[in-house]
mmCIF file of all heavy atoms in Angstrom:
data_model
loop_
_atom_site.group_PDB
_atom_site.id
_atom_site.type_symbol
_atom_site.label_atom_id
_atom_site.label_comp_id
_atom_site.label_asym_id
_atom_site.label_seq_id
_atom_site.Cartn_x
_atom_site.Cartn_y
_atom_site.Cartn_z
ATOM 1 N N LEU A 50 3.665 18.095 20.956
ATOM 2 C CA LEU A 50 5.154 17.900 20.940
ATOM 3 C C LEU A 50 5.865 19.181 20.710
ATOM 4 O O LEU A 50 6.883 19.360 21.222
ATOM 5 C CB LEU A 50 5.469 16.991 19.677
ATOM 6 C CG LEU A 50 5.267 15.566 19.826
ATOM 7 C CD1 LEU A 50 5.478 14.793 18.610
ATOM 8 C CD2 LEU A 50 6.121 15.000 20.948
ATOM 9 N N HIS A 85 6.663 5.400 29.747
ATOM 10 C CA HIS A 85 6.484 6.709 29.243
ATOM 11 C C HIS A 85 5.765 7.482 30.288
ATOM 12 O O HIS A 85 6.107 8.679 30.595
ATOM 13 C CB HIS A 85 5.590 6.672 28.000
ATOM 14 C CG HIS A 85 5.517 8.007 27.282
ATOM 15 N ND1 HIS A 85 4.851 8.192 26.080
ATOM 16 C CD2 HIS A 85 5.856 9.255 27.688
ATOM 17 C CE1 HIS A 85 4.915 9.529 25.762
ATOM 18 N NE2 HIS A 85 5.516 10.153 26.661
ATOM 19 N N LEU A 106 8.024 21.793 25.298
ATOM 20 C CA LEU A 106 8.951 20.643 25.219
ATOM 21 C C LEU A 106 9.962 20.871 24.137
ATOM 22 O O LEU A 106 11.209 20.615 24.476
ATOM 23 C CB LEU A 106 8.100 19.385 24.994
ATOM 24 C CG LEU A 106 8.819 18.084 25.079
ATOM 25 C CD1 LEU A 106 9.472 17.880 26.499
ATOM 26 C CD2 LEU A 106 7.926 16.876 24.832
ATOM 27 N N LEU A 110 14.021 21.099 25.005
ATOM 28 C CA LEU A 110 15.039 20.169 24.442
ATOM 29 C C LEU A 110 16.131 20.986 23.752
ATOM 30 O O LEU A 110 17.333 20.700 23.846
ATOM 31 C CB LEU A 110 14.393 19.207 23.455
ATOM 32 C CG LEU A 110 14.062 17.800 24.029
ATOM 33 C CD1 LEU A 110 13.262 17.883 25.285
ATOM 34 C CD2 LEU A 110 13.340 16.973 22.991
ATOM 35 N N ARG A 121 16.879 16.696 31.147
ATOM 36 C CA ARG A 121 17.436 16.043 29.952
ATOM 37 C C ARG A 121 16.909 14.680 29.706
ATOM 38 O O ARG A 121 16.353 14.324 28.628
ATOM 39 C CB ARG A 121 18.948 16.071 29.919
ATOM 40 C CG ARG A 121 19.602 15.434 28.886
ATOM 41 C CD ARG A 121 21.132 15.544 28.976
ATOM 42 N NE ARG A 121 21.888 14.916 27.979
ATOM 43 C CZ ARG A 121 23.142 14.967 27.814
ATOM 44 N NH1 ARG A 121 23.915 15.761 28.568
ATOM 45 N NH2 ARG A 121 23.845 14.263 26.863
ATOM 46 N N ASN A 122 16.908 13.860 30.768
ATOM 47 C CA ASN A 122 16.545 12.449 30.576
ATOM 48 C C ASN A 122 14.970 12.269 30.440
ATOM 49 O O ASN A 122 14.524 11.506 29.590
ATOM 50 C CB ASN A 122 16.976 11.624 31.820
ATOM 51 C CG ASN A 122 18.536 11.593 31.888
ATOM 52 O OD1 ASN A 122 19.151 11.546 30.834
ATOM 53 N ND2 ASN A 122 19.049 11.421 33.042
ATOM 54 N N ASN A 123 14.215 13.006 31.198
ATOM 55 C CA ASN A 123 12.779 12.852 31.278
ATOM 56 C C ASN A 123 12.039 13.581 30.138
ATOM 57 O O ASN A 123 11.130 13.132 29.574
ATOM 58 C CB ASN A 123 12.194 13.109 32.628
ATOM 59 C CG ASN A 123 12.652 12.081 33.630
ATOM 60 O OD1 ASN A 123 12.359 10.890 33.499
ATOM 61 N ND2 ASN A 123 13.441 12.473 34.592
ATOM 62 N N GLY A 124 12.669 14.814 29.830
ATOM 63 C CA GLY A 124 12.123 15.579 28.692
ATOM 64 C C GLY A 124 12.389 14.878 27.401
ATOM 65 O O GLY A 124 11.528 14.807 26.523
ATOM 66 N N GLY A 125 13.608 14.269 27.290
ATOM 67 C CA GLY A 125 13.865 13.423 26.040
ATOM 68 C C GLY A 125 13.005 12.277 25.991
ATOM 69 O O GLY A 125 12.433 11.920 24.925
ATOM 70 N N GLY A 126 12.879 11.610 27.143
ATOM 71 C CA GLY A 126 12.042 10.354 27.166
ATOM 72 C C GLY A 126 10.571 10.727 26.804
ATOM 73 O O GLY A 126 9.969 9.920 26.075
ATOM 74 N N HIS A 127 10.118 11.805 27.253
ATOM 75 C CA HIS A 127 8.700 12.229 26.938
ATOM 76 C C HIS A 127 8.606 12.496 25.411
ATOM 77 O O HIS A 127 7.648 11.970 24.727
ATOM 78 C CB HIS A 127 8.357 13.438 27.720
ATOM 79 C CG HIS A 127 6.938 13.935 27.493
ATOM 80 N ND1 HIS A 127 5.940 13.060 27.122
ATOM 81 C CD2 HIS A 127 6.328 15.100 27.685
ATOM 82 C CE1 HIS A 127 4.812 13.738 27.040
ATOM 83 N NE2 HIS A 127 5.030 15.007 27.302
ATOM 84 N N TYR A 128 9.525 13.309 24.875
ATOM 85 C CA TYR A 128 9.412 13.670 23.454
ATOM 86 C C TYR A 128 9.629 12.395 22.606
ATOM 87 O O TYR A 128 8.821 12.078 21.646
ATOM 88 C CB TYR A 128 10.478 14.679 23.017
ATOM 89 C CG TYR A 128 10.463 15.153 21.623
ATOM 90 C CD1 TYR A 128 9.991 16.446 21.362
ATOM 91 C CD2 TYR A 128 10.762 14.351 20.590
ATOM 92 C CE1 TYR A 128 9.943 16.949 20.043
ATOM 93 C CE2 TYR A 128 10.700 14.850 19.255
ATOM 94 C CZ TYR A 128 10.265 16.054 18.984
ATOM 95 O OH TYR A 128 10.084 16.536 17.727
ATOM 96 N N ASN A 129 10.611 11.628 22.880
ATOM 97 C CA ASN A 129 10.942 10.444 22.049
ATOM 98 C C ASN A 129 9.830 9.447 21.987
ATOM 99 O O ASN A 129 9.453 8.969 20.906
ATOM 100 C CB ASN A 129 12.254 9.766 22.629
ATOM 101 C CG ASN A 129 13.452 10.611 22.468
ATOM 102 O OD1 ASN A 129 13.409 11.675 21.860
ATOM 103 N ND2 ASN A 129 14.500 10.226 23.223
ATOM 104 N N HIS A 130 9.170 9.214 23.122
ATOM 105 C CA HIS A 130 8.055 8.240 23.097
ATOM 106 C C HIS A 130 6.844 8.722 22.557
ATOM 107 O O HIS A 130 6.118 8.026 21.765
ATOM 108 C CB HIS A 130 7.858 7.705 24.507
ATOM 109 C CG HIS A 130 8.915 6.768 24.981
ATOM 110 N ND1 HIS A 130 10.119 7.353 25.622
ATOM 111 C CD2 HIS A 130 9.115 5.435 24.985
ATOM 112 C CE1 HIS A 130 10.883 6.253 25.894
ATOM 113 N NE2 HIS A 130 10.274 5.050 25.502
ATOM 114 N N SER A 131 6.548 10.065 22.692
ATOM 115 C CA SER A 131 5.339 10.655 21.995
ATOM 116 C C SER A 131 5.506 10.569 20.582
ATOM 117 O O SER A 131 4.521 10.240 19.779
ATOM 118 C CB SER A 131 5.267 12.127 22.403
ATOM 119 O OG SER A 131 5.080 12.278 23.827
ATOM 120 N N LEU A 132 6.689 10.671 20.068
ATOM 121 C CA LEU A 132 7.046 10.555 18.651
ATOM 122 C C LEU A 132 6.943 9.061 18.201
ATOM 123 O O LEU A 132 6.291 8.721 17.220
ATOM 124 C CB LEU A 132 8.395 11.034 18.318
ATOM 125 C CG LEU A 132 9.099 10.680 17.065
ATOM 126 C CD1 LEU A 132 8.337 11.319 15.786
ATOM 127 C CD2 LEU A 132 10.523 11.259 17.052
ATOM 128 N N PHE A 133 7.477 8.207 19.054
ATOM 129 C CA PHE A 133 7.564 6.752 18.773
ATOM 130 C C PHE A 133 6.262 6.137 18.519
ATOM 131 O O PHE A 133 6.029 5.344 17.517
ATOM 132 C CB PHE A 133 8.280 6.103 19.910
ATOM 133 C CG PHE A 133 8.718 4.622 19.598
ATOM 134 C CD1 PHE A 133 9.563 4.213 18.626
ATOM 135 C CD2 PHE A 133 8.235 3.635 20.503
ATOM 136 C CE1 PHE A 133 9.872 2.891 18.468
ATOM 137 C CE2 PHE A 133 8.527 2.282 20.347
ATOM 138 C CZ PHE A 133 9.408 1.989 19.287
ATOM 139 N N TRP A 134 5.269 6.470 19.396
ATOM 140 C CA TRP A 134 3.900 5.792 19.188
ATOM 141 C C TRP A 134 3.306 6.147 17.859
ATOM 142 O O TRP A 134 2.665 5.349 17.210
ATOM 143 C CB TRP A 134 3.008 6.223 20.292
ATOM 144 C CG TRP A 134 3.503 6.054 21.590
ATOM 145 C CD1 TRP A 134 3.446 7.055 22.678
ATOM 146 C CD2 TRP A 134 4.243 4.948 22.246
ATOM 147 N NE1 TRP A 134 4.061 6.599 23.766
ATOM 148 C CE2 TRP A 134 4.485 5.352 23.572
ATOM 149 C CE3 TRP A 134 4.522 3.642 21.819
ATOM 150 C CZ2 TRP A 134 5.206 4.501 24.479
ATOM 151 C CZ3 TRP A 134 5.194 2.824 22.720
ATOM 152 C CH2 TRP A 134 5.550 3.250 24.014
ATOM 153 N N LYS A 135 3.550 7.331 17.418
ATOM 154 C CA LYS A 135 2.920 7.912 16.245
ATOM 155 C C LYS A 135 3.692 7.375 14.992
ATOM 156 O O LYS A 135 3.085 7.330 13.814
ATOM 157 C CB LYS A 135 2.828 9.416 16.181
ATOM 158 C CG LYS A 135 1.718 9.856 17.096
ATOM 159 C CD LYS A 135 1.980 11.234 17.674
ATOM 160 C CE LYS A 135 2.069 12.322 16.672
ATOM 161 N NZ LYS A 135 0.748 12.622 16.138
ATOM 162 N N LEU A 136 4.802 6.903 15.078
ATOM 163 C CA LEU A 136 5.657 6.414 13.994
ATOM 164 C C LEU A 136 5.339 4.975 13.755
ATOM 165 O O LEU A 136 5.917 4.362 12.733
ATOM 166 C CB LEU A 136 7.105 6.552 14.270
ATOM 167 C CG LEU A 136 7.698 7.909 14.189
ATOM 168 C CD1 LEU A 136 9.170 7.967 14.683
ATOM 169 C CD2 LEU A 136 7.705 8.439 12.719
ATOM 170 N N GLY A 178 19.425 3.475 23.994
ATOM 171 C CA GLY A 178 19.356 4.659 23.204
ATOM 172 C C GLY A 178 18.450 4.618 22.038
ATOM 173 O O GLY A 178 17.580 3.755 22.004
ATOM 174 N N TRP A 179 18.648 5.497 21.056
ATOM 175 C CA TRP A 179 17.716 5.647 20.013
ATOM 176 C C TRP A 179 18.501 5.806 18.646
ATOM 177 O O TRP A 179 19.613 6.317 18.642
ATOM 178 C CB TRP A 179 16.817 6.825 20.034
ATOM 179 C CG TRP A 179 15.864 6.738 21.157
ATOM 180 C CD1 TRP A 179 16.143 6.740 22.485
ATOM 181 C CD2 TRP A 179 14.509 6.594 21.035
ATOM 182 N NE1 TRP A 179 15.002 6.619 23.209
ATOM 183 C CE2 TRP A 179 13.923 6.499 22.379
ATOM 184 C CE3 TRP A 179 13.560 6.483 19.939
ATOM 185 C CZ2 TRP A 179 12.519 6.411 22.574
ATOM 186 C CZ3 TRP A 179 12.229 6.336 20.195
ATOM 187 C CH2 TRP A 179 11.755 6.303 21.530
ATOM 188 N N TRP A 181 18.137 7.273 14.628
ATOM 189 C CA TRP A 181 17.357 8.339 14.030
ATOM 190 C C TRP A 181 17.583 8.564 12.592
ATOM 191 O O TRP A 181 18.701 8.275 12.067
ATOM 192 C CB TRP A 181 17.718 9.708 14.645
ATOM 193 C CG TRP A 181 17.626 9.721 16.104
ATOM 194 C CD1 TRP A 181 18.604 9.542 17.069
ATOM 195 C CD2 TRP A 181 16.381 9.988 16.904
ATOM 196 N NE1 TRP A 181 18.064 9.657 18.422
ATOM 197 C CE2 TRP A 181 16.783 9.946 18.268
ATOM 198 C CE3 TRP A 181 15.087 10.277 16.521
ATOM 199 C CZ2 TRP A 181 15.794 10.166 19.295
ATOM 200 C CZ3 TRP A 181 14.137 10.492 17.504
ATOM 201 C CH2 TRP A 181 14.510 10.431 18.951
ATOM 202 N N THR A 194 21.740 8.218 19.291
ATOM 203 C CA THR A 194 21.941 8.969 20.555
ATOM 204 C C THR A 194 21.876 8.116 21.711
ATOM 205 O O THR A 194 21.127 7.053 21.592
ATOM 206 C CB THR A 194 20.956 10.129 20.736
ATOM 207 O OG1 THR A 194 19.576 9.602 20.708
ATOM 208 C CG2 THR A 194 21.049 11.207 19.653
ATOM 209 N N PRO A 195 22.507 8.317 22.785
ATOM 210 C CA PRO A 195 22.475 7.486 23.931
ATOM 211 C C PRO A 195 21.347 7.877 24.831
ATOM 212 O O PRO A 195 20.799 8.909 24.747
ATOM 213 C CB PRO A 195 23.788 7.758 24.733
ATOM 214 C CG PRO A 195 24.117 9.187 24.352
ATOM 215 C CD PRO A 195 23.624 9.368 22.929
ATOM 216 N N ASN A 196 20.878 7.016 25.695
ATOM 217 C CA ASN A 196 19.837 7.183 26.756
ATOM 218 C C ASN A 196 18.604 7.783 26.069
ATOM 219 O O ASN A 196 18.074 7.259 25.164
ATOM 220 C CB ASN A 196 20.531 8.112 27.803
ATOM 221 C CG ASN A 196 21.783 7.536 28.341
ATOM 222 O OD1 ASN A 196 21.792 6.295 28.677
ATOM 223 N ND2 ASN A 196 22.823 8.229 28.485
ATOM 224 N N GLN A 197 18.119 8.909 26.632
ATOM 225 C CA GLN A 197 16.910 9.591 26.101
ATOM 226 C C GLN A 197 17.273 10.818 25.329
ATOM 227 O O GLN A 197 16.377 11.694 25.092
ATOM 228 C CB GLN A 197 15.797 9.772 27.026
ATOM 229 C CG GLN A 197 15.263 8.570 27.658
ATOM 230 C CD GLN A 197 14.421 7.664 26.687
ATOM 231 O OE1 GLN A 197 14.269 8.015 25.567
ATOM 232 N NE2 GLN A 197 14.083 6.436 27.132
ATOM 233 N N ASP A 198 18.479 11.000 24.879
ATOM 234 C CA ASP A 198 18.911 12.093 24.099
ATOM 235 C C ASP A 198 18.172 12.124 22.769
ATOM 236 O O ASP A 198 17.695 11.145 22.258
ATOM 237 C CB ASP A 198 20.363 12.169 23.931
ATOM 238 C CG ASP A 198 21.064 12.654 25.192
ATOM 239 O OD1 ASP A 198 20.437 12.975 26.190
ATOM 240 O OD2 ASP A 198 22.367 12.757 25.127
ATOM 241 N N ASN A 199 18.084 13.288 22.224
ATOM 242 C CA ASN A 199 17.292 13.528 21.029
ATOM 243 C C ASN A 199 18.049 14.586 20.145
ATOM 244 O O ASN A 199 18.726 15.398 20.655
ATOM 245 C CB ASN A 199 15.938 14.148 21.504
ATOM 246 C CG ASN A 199 14.954 14.613 20.369
ATOM 247 O OD1 ASN A 199 15.345 15.493 19.564
ATOM 248 N ND2 ASN A 199 13.889 13.867 20.258
ATOM 249 N N PRO A 200 18.013 14.297 18.840
ATOM 250 C CA PRO A 200 18.718 15.283 17.943
ATOM 251 C C PRO A 200 18.401 16.733 17.978
ATOM 252 O O PRO A 200 19.110 17.589 17.433
ATOM 253 C CB PRO A 200 18.497 14.674 16.487
ATOM 254 C CG PRO A 200 17.721 13.440 16.733
ATOM 255 C CD PRO A 200 17.230 13.353 18.113
ATOM 256 N N MET A 202 18.345 18.275 20.807
ATOM 257 C CA MET A 202 19.079 18.849 21.996
ATOM 258 C C MET A 202 20.299 19.493 21.582
ATOM 259 O O MET A 202 21.075 18.944 20.749
ATOM 260 C CB MET A 202 19.330 17.668 22.912
ATOM 261 C CG MET A 202 18.111 17.108 23.656
ATOM 262 S SD MET A 202 18.654 15.767 24.727
ATOM 263 C CE MET A 202 17.039 15.451 25.605
ATOM 264 N N PRO A 211 13.962 15.334 14.017
ATOM 265 C CA PRO A 211 13.758 13.886 13.965
ATOM 266 C C PRO A 211 12.639 13.470 13.036
ATOM 267 O O PRO A 211 11.469 13.939 13.312
ATOM 268 C CB PRO A 211 13.554 13.443 15.404
ATOM 269 C CG PRO A 211 13.252 14.659 16.193
ATOM 270 C CD PRO A 211 13.777 15.830 15.384
ATOM 271 N N GLY A 214 12.455 7.736 14.562
ATOM 272 C CA GLY A 214 13.193 7.377 15.722
ATOM 273 C C GLY A 214 12.870 6.017 16.163
ATOM 274 O O GLY A 214 11.636 5.720 16.285
ATOM 275 N N ASP A 216 13.340 3.197 19.230
ATOM 276 C CA ASP A 216 13.766 3.000 20.608
ATOM 277 C C ASP A 216 14.512 1.593 20.676
ATOM 278 O O ASP A 216 13.935 0.576 20.329
ATOM 279 C CB ASP A 216 12.447 2.871 21.437
ATOM 280 C CG ASP A 216 12.809 2.885 22.919
ATOM 281 O OD1 ASP A 216 13.934 2.489 23.409
ATOM 282 O OD2 ASP A 216 11.866 3.093 23.735
ATOM 283 N N TRP A 218 16.208 0.705 23.492
ATOM 284 C CA TRP A 218 16.301 0.261 24.949
ATOM 285 C C TRP A 218 15.826 -1.208 25.035
ATOM 286 O O TRP A 218 14.775 -1.482 24.239
ATOM 287 C CB TRP A 218 15.443 1.113 25.808
ATOM 288 C CG TRP A 218 16.006 2.470 26.161
ATOM 289 C CD1 TRP A 218 16.409 3.496 25.282
ATOM 290 C CD2 TRP A 218 16.251 3.023 27.432
ATOM 291 N NE1 TRP A 218 16.845 4.552 25.959
ATOM 292 C CE2 TRP A 218 16.773 4.306 27.290
ATOM 293 C CE3 TRP A 218 16.101 2.539 28.702
ATOM 294 C CZ2 TRP A 218 17.113 5.160 28.384
ATOM 295 C CZ3 TRP A 218 16.309 3.340 29.789
ATOM 296 C CH2 TRP A 218 16.928 4.674 29.645
#
Side-chain angles (χ1 to χ4, degrees):
L50 283 175
H85 190 175
L106 188 56
L110 264 52
R121 175 175 176 172
N122 292 333
N123 294 294
H127 181 30
Y128 186 107
N129 294 347
H130 289 84
S131 298
L132 167 63
F133 188 60
W134 311 131
K135 286 151 63 75
L136 283 171
W179 291 71
W181 302 98
T194 56
N196 305 314
Q197 293 296 352
D198 282 359
N199 176 296
M202 289 180 174
D216 189 342
W218 284 57

